[in-house]
Amino acid sequence: MTVQAQPPVERDPLIVALARYVEALHRRYPDGPDELRRERLDGSAKVSGMIRLRKDPAA
């Protein structure tokens, strides 16, 4: 049985950057989302409610 060499895989730079980001987050916050919530870093407390804008029916 002959083993064929596979061509090098081109990696999407965005995917590589996201993977590095996730790995860094995991190193910094090993307990995951629970730790982020405890430290109030998850951002959910900063999100304000949606404001409904009424459109003028004459417009």
Side-chain angles (χ1 to χ4, degrees):
M1 178 183 247
T2 306
V3 177
Q4 295 179 355
Q6 294 183 356
V9 177
E10 235 182 272
R11 296 185 179 178
D12 185 337
L14 178 60
I15 300 301
V16 172
L18 285 171
R20 281 195 317 235
Y21 177 72
V22 169
E23 290 168 357
L25 276 176
H26 183 69
R27 282 192 304 274
R28 174 64 177 91
Y29 303 103
D31 291 339
D34 292 335
E35 186 174 356
L36 290 171
R37 283 187 204 99
R38 280 194 307 272
E39 294 187 24
R40 297 183 185 261
L41 297 173
D42 65 346
S44 63
K46 299 176 187 170
V47 177
S48 60
M50 294 284 292
I51 298 172
R52 286 202 122 151
L53 299 176
R54 294 181 186 233
K55 292 187 178 183
D56 185 6

